Amino acid sequence: MIDSAHITETVRQALAEDLGAGDVSAQLIPADTRMTGRIIAREACVLAGRPWAEATFLQVSPATELHWLADDGEPLAPNQCLAELSGPARALLTAERTALNFLQTLSATATATRAYVDAIRGTRARILDTRKTLPGLRLAQKYAVTCGGGVNHRLGLYDMVLIKENHIMAAGSIRAAVAASRALHPCLPLEVEVETLAELDEALAAGVQRVLLDNFDLATLRQAVKQTAGRATLEASGNVDIHTVRAVAETGVDFISIGALTKHIQAVDLSLRFTPQA
């Protein structure tokens, strides 16, 4: 669940960078002109971003009427209409690009996530996102990941302790870093990143219940699963793409984290066509 106040503020900032002192092009349209419009998917995709798009239109003009024909998380076919809208022409033209930016970007993340989820279907693994999100769109993109069937990892640096290579080096050992975490943040989830099977053993000996296996090859992943024997949840990460993810999932890991879900995306092709309202 994403707080509506957060969506409102994200939209406000997006509109502010686009509008500046005002939409000089929309001012060319008579103030009393009204229009209707349809948002069309030009390619197959998974829809995400309705709350942000709707907030965009309504912030520009509360008089806008928006009727959705598809839900977030729903697959769309090419040329499918996903929404109909009507309202003051100036307001619709002003809101158009910002609303589509949200829909196209978030639907791209949902679509990419669905492809990975489908690729590992039937295995025990689940697809995780990362913190490699577009600045200002962290919660929006993580929402989109869930629309695509993925699972959210930590939201930021505040809601989980993730002990990585440099933390271990600075602390002196995995055991020392784990002990510090438990002393300082006993109520937060804890995960340790390891780069070798020996480090995995050290993390397990410290009682860590979630381990990130960084850049393990398939044979080493299988050995890690065997070695762990259910004592911890295992997450595979690093150099995983849509062509290799199935093989990684079949090693028996619990999660696979994919940075590409939120950073290697190409906006889906949506269009908004207007007609004058009688």
Side-chain angles (χ1 to χ4, degrees):
M1 297 297 293
I2 297 180
D3 187 274
S4 60
H6 176 84
I7 295 174
T8 298
E9 178 58 18
T10 302
V11 168
R12 185 197 67 76
Q13 293 180 13
L15 286 170
E17 70 180 4
D18 206 22
L19 277 169
D23 184 350
V24 295
S25 299
Q27 292 170 10
L28 305 176
I29 310 300
D32 61 351
T33 301
R34 293 182 61 84
M35 294 193 309
T36 60
R38 303 170 78 238
I39 304 177
I40 306 293
R42 295 304 184 192
E43 61 178 311
C45 61
V46 176
L47 178 61
R50 277 181 39 166
W52 287 264
E54 188 164 330
T56 300
F57 285 112
L58 293 178
Q59 276 194 39
V60 175
S61 174
T64 300
E65 297 179 5
L66 186 58
H67 176 54
W68 292 98
L69 302 175
D71 293 324
D72 278 351
E74 183 176 327
L76 302 176
N79 299 315
Q80 181 175 341
C81 179
L82 57 108
E84 298 173 338
L85 59 161
S86 63
R90 287 185 177 181
L92 294 180
L93 291 168
T94 295
E96 173 187 4
R97 174 41 50 200
T98 301
L100 285 180
N101 283 348
F102 280 119
L103 283 176
Q104 290 178 292
T105 300
L106 299 183
S107 294
T109 289
T111 302
T113 304
R114 183 66 56 81
Y116 277 93
V117 169
D118 287 346
I120 66 168
R121 197 170 300 282
T123 71
R124 66 180 292 171
R126 302 186 72 183
I127 298 297
L128 283 176
D129 55 24
T130 71
R131 288 169 45 241
K132 297 173 183 177
T133 54
L134 300 176
L137 290 180
R138 170 66 56 79
L139 294 185
Q141 283 195 287
K142 283 183 170 285
Y143 166 85
V145 166
T146 68
C147 291
V151 178
N152 294 148
H153 205 290
R154 58 179 177 163
L155 297 179
L157 296 172
Y158 55 88
D159 60 331
M160 170 188 274
V161 178
L162 177 50
I163 299 173
K164 305 189 78 173
E165 174 189 4
N166 288 332
H167 300 108
I168 296 168
M169 178 196 65
S173 68
I174 289 175
R175 183 176 293 277
V178 169
S181 171
R182 287 174 174 157
L184 291 169
H185 307 292
C187 295
L188 287 180
L190 168 64
E191 182 172 18
V192 174
E193 177 186 79
V194 302
E195 297 181 324
T196 66
L197 292 173
E199 288 183 347
L200 172 61
D201 276 339
E202 188 178 350
L204 294 173
V208 174
Q209 295 184 330
R210 182 160 175 170
V211 180
L212 189 157
L213 308 172
D214 183 41
N215 283 300
F216 281 33
D217 61 29
L218 293 177
T220 313
L221 283 174
R222 285 190 287 267
Q223 181 58 35
V225 172
K226 181 179 179 180
Q227 200 163 300
T228 301
R231 289 177 289 167
T233 299
L234 298 179
E235 172 190 341
S237 181
N239 295 316
V240 181
D241 61 30
I242 194 64
H243 305 293
T244 61
V245 68
R246 177 81 191 186
V248 172
E250 289 175 343
T251 66
V253 296
D254 301 283
F255 294 104
I256 306 171
S257 51
I258 313 277
L261 302 181
T262 52
K263 72 185 182 83
H264 293 168
I265 56 169
Q266 180 174 334
V268 302
D269 189 4
L270 305 177
S271 69
L272 176 49
R273 297 297 183 186
F274 291 116
T275 55
Q277 189 172 1

